[in-house]
Amino acid sequence: MSHTEPAALVVLVSGSGTNLQALLDACADPAYGARVVAVGADRHGIEGLARAERAGVPTFALQVKDFDSREEWDAALAGAVAAYDPDIIVSAGFMKLLGSTFLALYGGKVVNTHPALSPSFPGMRGPADALAYGVKVTGATLFVVDPGIDTGPIVAQAAVEVVDGDTEETLHERIKVAERTMLVDSVGRMAREGFVVEGRRVRFGGLVD
Ligand code: GAR
């Protein structure tokens, strides 16, 4: 990655892809400093892949059930991503844990966005779990992926109030508005400035000309 050309992003999705769309829209401005070179998924027929196709971005989809083991799927996913030689991989609503082969190749370059304020409410049900617990503030967290479940070093967080009458859906939709802004701001800074992980702490910077 250098200052002279935009950072290459591979984005991984499993669903509607609104976070992907926010990145695609941001990348339309050359000053953003990044471009989406491919979008990968763990399933076919999702709006996230359709968004990529409409934007003219190459896609690939690898389903776990088409492989003999989770490890083989993970290695195939790593291979599919490697074909695009990304600087940063963004897991944006990708509902699978990345395995040891993938992280051996790309550890430190993969970020994931999660709809809760880590370390609270890891896993697949961040908004529902926050609502059930009764917290008054929740939000979204962007972190550098490690082998745990939503445990990696934190790049950015955005806080969102829980309001009376919230359902899982209304709360998640409000989180996603804040999440998209956080994601676009942070990935842009990572692309333009670089980023350094020191233990649990992440800071922007360190990109040399
Ligand atoms: C996002 O809120 C993301 O944080 C969440 O799925 C949503 C995807 O929305 N991811 C997880 O819950 C992963 N644990 P999108 O497909 O519209 O970008």
Side-chain angles (χ1 to χ4, degrees):
M1 201 157 68
S2 78
H3 281 304
T4 49
E5 50 187 68
L9 310 180
V10 168
V11 183
L12 301 177
V13 297
S14 295
S16 64
T18 64
N19 281 285
L20 163 66
Q21 188 67 55
L23 288 169
L24 288 167
D25 294 348
C27 288
D29 179 355
Y32 184 65
R35 67 195 173 97
V36 179
V37 295
V39 171
D42 63 335
R43 61 199 77 186
H44 299 280
I46 53 171
E47 180 60 15
L49 289 172
R51 289 177 191 275
E53 283 156 18
R54 287 197 292 274
V57 172
T59 63
F60 56 90
L62 297 172
Q63 302 183 107
V64 172
K65 69 178 172 64
D66 293 335
F67 293 83
D68 288 339
S69 67
R70 187 74 181 222
E71 290 71 26
E72 284 178 38
W73 169 81
D74 183 66
L77 185 71
V81 168
Y84 296 97
D85 194 22
D87 297 304
I88 302 169
I89 298 152
V90 183
S91 170
F94 188 61
M95 297 299 189
K96 290 280 183 301
L97 282 183
L98 296 168
S100 55
T101 302
F102 196 100
L103 292 179
L105 200 57
Y106 286 117
K109 284 187 175 186
V110 192
V111 290
N112 183 32
T113 177
H114 177 62
L117 288 179
S118 297
S120 295
F121 313 122
M124 307 286 280
R125 294 169 33 88
D129 290 347
L131 202 55
Y133 195 91
V135 294
K136 299 299 187 192
V137 178
T138 183
T141 300
L142 184 71
F143 62 93
V144 179
V145 174
D146 71 3
I149 299 174
D150 302 325
T151 51
I154 293 170
V155 178
Q157 293 187 300
V160 172
E161 274 189 42
V162 180
V163 299
D164 292 347
D166 258 340
T167 63
E168 177 186 349
E169 290 72 29
T170 61
L171 179 59
H172 196 176
E173 280 310 311
R174 213 161 54 256
I175 289 170
K176 284 173 69 168
V177 173
E179 183 177 32
R180 289 190 286 266
T181 302
M182 174 194 73
L183 180 70
V184 166
D185 288 352
S186 300
V187 170
R189 288 195 67 184
M190 292 167 79
R192 294 186 302 274
E193 303 171 32
F195 63 105
V196 181
V197 181
E198 289 162 339
R200 285 223 44 95
R201 302 185 68 171
V202 182
R203 62 180 169 81
F204 296 113
L207 196 60
V208 288
D209 282 310

